[in-house]
Amino acid sequence: MRYASWLAIVMVAFCLWSGLEYRHFHKRLLETEQQLKLRRQFQKAVGLPNLAITSAARYLRHYSITDLTTPFQDYPASLDHFPAGFAFGPPDYSDMPSPIVFGKLEK
Amino acid sequence: MISGSWFERQKNIIDYSLQSLLRRRSKNILILIIFIVLVFAVSSILFITGSLTQEMMITSNDLPDITVQRILGGRQVNVLSSYLPEIEKIPGVEAVETRVWGYFYLASLQANFTIYGMDLNLLEEGEYRKIVNWKNVPDPAENQILSSRPDFRMIIGQGVFELLKDIQMEKAFLFYQPTWQKPIPFDIIGTFKTETELQSNDMMILQTEGARRVLELPPDEFSDLVVHVPNPEEIENIALKIHRYFPELRTITRAQIQNTYATVFNWKSAFVLSSLLVAIFAFLILIWDKASGLSPEEKREIGILKAIGWDTDVVLSVKFWEGLILSGISSLAGILLAYAYIYWLRAPGLREIFIGWSTIYPSFKLMPDVDPKFLLLIITISVVPYLAVTVFPAWKAAITDPDAIMRNI
């Protein structure tokens, strides 16, 4: 057999593999669609943010509403004590509204 | 040899390219493996971080409008009930809800549970009913003791349930701290369905009064507040107002939480940055080695081909196909392997980085997040530079006098 024919066979195998993964992708998307309603209900009932992928530290579990100073205490992006902290970027507070106001404002 | 239709011609050239690749088998197999590993590593990291971000984003529209915390000395402390009427008075605020929540560390299992207090009767009504697998709900007629303690009921996440099953506490759990005089028993009346496990896995939802006891929260104090604002245009302003009136209160709007969701696994995270930098440097070294020139044998081969009458463009086609076959196959294989690894095998090895030292974690059955833009990018940054550094030295050799190349001068 010619070398080009071998290449064609390899390409067909790749196409089949891609097709298989596409089928899986499609199936999972449909499943997610069905789960979504339940997950939205849960989110509405329990208003806490973030995913339960790690519960090692509270600032990793509830990353979005954690203390300002707890994680990354030393400087932004510093590596912390918990292994999972390695995967999380420092919170981005850059667009937080904070105009400079002196003294307490009148209500 | 080079004759016939365009298709036939290309087929012959591909034949020659493959033969030429196979002649330098060990070197090319090595490049193939390195290439596959690089594309696989980059794709896996982008797949897993993309999916996790997507999983967070997908329910983010149901988050509370504004979360209000009290900060004292840089730390979050309990919110006093005196803030409630003041915040409710702000025009545009529909309601202020108090929350009681915290964590409970069970030293014997080294597990950290999230305790959340709410009215469990709410979950028994309407749409909310469907998110819970109800079990051994105490029957008032049968069991007087259980029904007389409605404040000590809880619903737990699947991960907590499996952990408690190991210590035979899946029906009732005893909360205990050494400073307490006696433990507080809680009846487990249900578990959250596995569909919600990415959010509910480590959760223990307790009746509010019970949660207050477990968290040792004094009366008139709450963990934080949630402010409902019906008009989305006003959320930002009201958050600003709360912070101006009470500088000790920190407000977090839904938009800010969504913002942290989007950036949690971005390039700033050490994990993504270190993986990408290593991969990029390795790829640069591979490219550098290729770009630094052809080996004397390869040069001689081009010289001979030219001498026996091959045109420069045919020589370049051969080199082009060599590069395309090698880089194309490895990019494709790398991406497909990464998909299988993350979504079929559920990222063994990689998921441990996210789990860290926690003992309760979900099954990592993630929603696939395959962005065609990203696939195109991966192919562009791997195939195109590789093709360039394969074809360019060949072109330089092909335009030189064949005699000079063969003599190796």
Side-chain angles (χ1 to χ4, degrees):
Chain A
M1 198 149 59
R2 290 177 61 164
Y3 286 107
S5 315
W6 280 110
L7 185 69
I9 291 172
V10 170
M11 289 326 286
V12 168
F14 269 112
C15 285
L16 284 177
W17 188 5
S18 311
L20 222 67
E21 290 195 349
Y22 181 75
R23 219 183 65 178
H24 175 267
F25 174 72
H26 196 68
K27 214 178 91 194
R28 284 289 299 137
L29 277 196
L30 284 179
E31 275 173 29
T32 315
E33 201 69 30
Q34 285 161 355
Q35 284 177 8
L36 204 58
K37 215 176 152 199
L38 290 177
R39 293 187 55 185
R40 287 223 168 106
Q41 291 295 342
F42 182 85
Q43 184 68 80
K44 234 180 253 175
V46 180
L48 296 177
N50 293 99
L51 299 178
I53 46 175
T54 178
S55 53
R58 65 199 161 91
Y59 59 83
L60 295 174
R61 172 64 180 92
H62 295 106
Y63 171 84
S64 301
I65 53 166
T66 188
D67 293 4
L68 286 164
T69 50
T70 312
F72 318 107
Q73 315 209 359
D74 300 325
Y75 57 94
S78 69
L79 298 182
D80 78 337
H81 170 69
F82 288 100
F86 172 65
F88 288 66
D92 185 5
Y93 295 119
S94 54
D95 72 333
M96 220 177 211
S98 57
I100 301 165
V101 180
F102 295 100
K104 213 168 179 181
L105 261 126
E106 290 300 314
K107 280 171 212 176
Chain B
M1 180 191 165
I2 309 295
S3 60
S5 70
W6 183 86
F7 184 72
E8 195 60 34
R9 200 176 136 106
Q10 294 303 320
K11 219 163 97 178
N12 288 330
I13 292 176
I14 290 173
D15 257 345
Y16 185 84
S17 301
L18 283 167
Q19 275 171 22
S20 152
L21 280 175
L22 288 174
R23 227 176 297 137
R24 286 176 286 273
R25 199 168 297 148
S26 50
K27 184 190 159 204
N28 285 324
I29 287 177
L30 201 69
I31 291 178
L32 192 81
I33 291 171
I34 295 172
F35 219 132
I36 290 178
V37 169
L38 285 178
V39 175
F40 169 77
V42 173
S43 317
S44 317
I45 285 151
L46 292 179
F47 277 151
I48 198 166
T49 53
S51 281
L52 287 172
T53 309
Q54 198 61 27
E55 293 276 6
M56 285 195 275
M57 280 292 184
I58 206 162
T59 55
S60 66
N61 280 333
D62 296 294
L63 284 165
D65 300 323
I66 305 174
T67 310
V68 179
Q69 298 172 335
R70 188 168 158 233
I71 305 285
L72 206 63
R75 287 180 171 275
Q76 195 199 326
V77 291
N78 295 339
V79 184
L80 306 172
S81 60
S82 58
Y83 289 110
L84 270 154
E86 297 291 327
I87 295 174
E88 263 167 356
K89 258 189 251 164
I90 295 174
V93 172
E94 189 186 56
V96 182
E97 203 184 301
T98 56
R99 289 202 302 198
V100 173
W101 68 280
Y103 307 93
F104 184 84
Y105 182 65
L106 187 60
S108 58
L109 295 177
Q110 294 191 318
N112 210 3
F113 305 120
T114 304
I115 307 262
Y116 186 85
M118 69 180 287
D119 185 10
L120 292 186
N121 295 329
L122 206 82
L123 287 180
E124 288 176 39
E125 290 161 10
E127 284 291 303
Y128 290 140
R129 247 198 101 74
K130 290 184 202 152
I131 59 175
V132 181
N133 282 324
W134 299 93
K135 56 179 104 186
N136 62 65
V137 182
D139 183 4
E142 217 175 69
N143 197 332
Q144 282 301 319
I145 307 160
L146 283 180
S147 59
S148 65
R149 339 176 17 248
D151 283 349
F152 297 93
R153 301 176 300 161
M154 66 173 178
I155 299 169
I156 55 177
Q158 192 60 31
V160 180
F161 177 74
E162 262 143 45
L163 210 64
L164 296 186
K165 217 158 86 178
D166 292 341
I167 53 169
Q168 276 97 43
M169 283 218 191
E170 75 271 28
K171 284 191 177 151
F173 180 72
L174 288 175
F175 282 99
Y176 182 68
Q177 296 277 24
T179 48
W180 298 351
Q181 289 190 332
K182 54 179 183 183
I184 312 171
F186 270 77
D187 300 317
I188 296 168
I189 57 168
T191 57
F192 287 106
K193 289 200 173 140
T194 42
E195 283 92 333
T196 66
E197 71 166 0
L198 267 172
Q199 282 147 299
S200 67
N201 211 41
D202 67 336
M203 290 279 216
M204 285 179 156
I205 311 286
L206 278 60
Q207 190 69 30
T208 316
E209 279 315 302
R212 217 169 245 288
R213 285 276 300 278
V214 171
L215 298 170
E216 298 182 81
L217 208 64
D220 277 351
E221 288 188 19
F222 306 96
S223 308
D224 56 14
L225 305 177
V226 162
V227 179
H228 294 283
V229 180
N231 182 0
E233 301 280 314
E234 284 185 317
I235 294 176
E236 198 92 329
N237 263 331
I238 288 171
L240 208 59
K241 255 185 193 171
I242 296 171
H243 185 62
R244 278 188 188 180
Y245 292 165
F246 309 103
E248 71 274 28
L249 293 187
R250 175 192 177 204
T251 51
I252 306 162
T253 61
R254 189 197 297 144
Q256 279 164 9
I257 294 181
Q258 283 169 337
N259 193 23
T260 58
Y261 279 2
T263 56
V264 59
F265 299 121
N266 70 353
W267 64 271
K268 264 195 256 174
S269 95
F271 167 59
V272 176
L273 193 64
S274 57
S275 325
L276 286 186
L277 279 183
V278 169
I280 288 168
F281 273 109
F283 187 67
L284 281 181
I285 291 170
L286 188 77
I287 292 279
W288 180 258
D289 179 52
K290 268 285 201 182
S292 56
L294 298 171
S295 65
E297 297 95 79
E298 280 174 303
K299 271 190 191 159
R300 196 170 301 127
E301 185 190 329
I302 291 173
I304 292 168
L305 291 179
K306 287 280 288 183
I308 59 171
W310 283 37
D311 288 340
T312 305
D313 69 310
V314 183
V315 175
L316 292 188
S317 302
V318 169
K319 286 289 161 191
F320 170 82
W321 279 114
E322 270 182 34
L324 188 69
I325 289 167
L326 200 67
S327 57
I329 284 185
S330 28
S331 308
L332 209 59
I335 291 171
L336 290 175
L337 277 173
Y339 184 95
Y341 171 68
I342 300 290
Y343 300 115
W344 287 354
L345 302 177
R346 296 181 196 176
L350 205 54
R351 67 169 176 232
E352 273 75 13
I353 294 172
F354 291 90
I355 292 164
W357 289 343
S358 52
T359 36
I360 320 163
Y361 46 85
S363 60
F364 261 83
K365 197 174 174 196
L366 297 176
M367 163 189 148
D369 175 65
V370 183
D371 189 355
K373 271 196 302 234
F374 145 73
L375 293 183
L376 207 66
L377 183 79
I378 284 269
I379 289 177
T380 318
I381 61 170
S382 58
V383 174
V384 176
Y386 190 81
L387 270 184
V389 297
T390 325
V391 174
F392 184 69
W395 171 74
K396 248 170 68 183
I399 55 166
T400 321
D401 182 22
D403 181 45
I405 303 175
M406 279 190 286
R407 282 167 194 260
N408 205 7
I409 34 176

